[in-house]
Amino acid sequence: MRKLFTLAVVIAATLVAIPAQAQFKFGLKGGLNITDMSFSSDVFESSNRAGFFIGPTVKFTLPIVGLGIDASALYDQREAKLKGSDKKLKQQAINIPINLRYDIGLGSLAAVYLAAGPQFGFNVGDKHQNLVKDALDWRLNTSNFSVNVGAGVMLLSHLQVGANYNIVCGKTGEATVLNTVGNLAKGVVRGRTNSWQVSLAYYF
């Protein structure tokens, strides 16, 4: 976690050092995500579930035609329901996506953009969840690293509508599966929570 935090600080400092001629806009971003939770074992499965995210965002337009950077600090809540059960896996995090973007102008009213970049996540929810008493424990990582790839439309230089896929690098957490007498039955099952995201942002 310390390495991820240090890297996030370095990137933030780099953004602050962007030349003054770059255009800067501050805004608010929110949206929905559909979590695709996968496991390294077929001991159990989960169904896709909707979650949400919201938080402040900034956008830099670099003094190079079409290029820019956007960054956000988002409260993100995701969950997945175990099939055949009413139990839910929940994840609450502060996510910091930092994307390089390329805008293609369609006149003064709209522009299409492509974006991609890293995301640093820090878990702020319950890291230990007992899903099935004496049978299944779920432990989330304290932090995680992922990558965003997406596209969208900028309208009237203020309203942005976008969609992206968030790909987790490494595991999100581990599930320990036990048998009825408390001994390991299937060992540790690793899980990932990739997600599709649809967002709406307004830049002032």
Side-chain angles (χ1 to χ4, degrees):
M1 178 178 178
R2 182 177 299 176
K3 291 181 179 179
L4 284 178
F5 180 75
T6 301
L7 184 56
V9 170
V10 171
I11 293 176
T14 302
L15 293 178
V16 172
I18 290 177
Q21 62 266 33
Q23 185 180 10
F24 169 85
K25 287 187 176 182
F26 174 83
L28 184 65
K29 184 178 184 179
L32 300 176
N33 52 45
I34 303 296
T35 300
D36 175 19
M37 183 169 285
S38 59
F39 298 94
S40 61
S41 171
D42 59 359
V43 174
F44 58 94
E45 298 178 323
S46 66
S47 59
N48 293 342
R49 300 282 290 182
F52 69 92
F53 55 92
I54 189 169
T57 183
V58 294
K59 181 167 72 78
F60 300 94
T61 301
L62 301 176
I64 301 174
V65 176
L67 288 182
I69 296 173
D70 64 50
S72 306
L74 305 172
Y75 170 78
D76 187 305
Q77 180 173 299
R78 306 181 186 189
E79 65 176 34
K81 184 179 180 181
L82 296 181
K83 291 181 179 178
S85 170
D86 60 352
K87 297 292 184 178
K88 299 176 183 178
L89 300 178
K90 295 183 179 180
Q91 180 182 11
Q92 296 170 286
I94 298 298
N95 288 329
I96 305 174
I98 302 173
N99 297 314
L100 179 65
R101 55 189 287 158
Y102 180 71
D103 290 71
I104 305 170
L106 302 177
S108 59
L109 297 180
V112 174
Y113 73 88
L114 303 174
Q119 176 171 292
F120 307 91
F122 303 94
N123 193 353
V124 296
D126 188 0
K127 299 179 180 64
H128 178 209
Q129 301 173 37
N130 183 244
L131 301 177
V132 181
K133 186 176 181 181
D134 299 325
L136 180 61
D137 277 340
W138 173 248
R139 292 182 180 273
L140 285 166
N141 289 352
T142 301
S143 61
N144 61 73
F145 176 79
S146 58
V147 175
N148 289 315
V149 178
V153 179
M154 193 77 181
L155 302 172
L156 302 174
S157 300
H158 292 285
L159 185 63
Q160 176 180 292
V161 180
N164 70 274
Y165 189 58
N166 176 243
I167 307 165
V168 174
C169 301
K171 63 185 180 182
T172 302
E174 294 181 340
T176 303
V177 184
L178 309 175
N179 63 23
T180 56
V181 295
N183 296 319
L184 285 175
K186 291 293 184 178
V188 175
V189 179
R190 295 175 176 84
R192 293 185 178 184
T193 53
N194 296 341
S195 67
W196 288 99
Q197 298 178 324
V198 177
S199 65
L200 180 66
Y202 185 84
Y203 290 96
F204 302 100

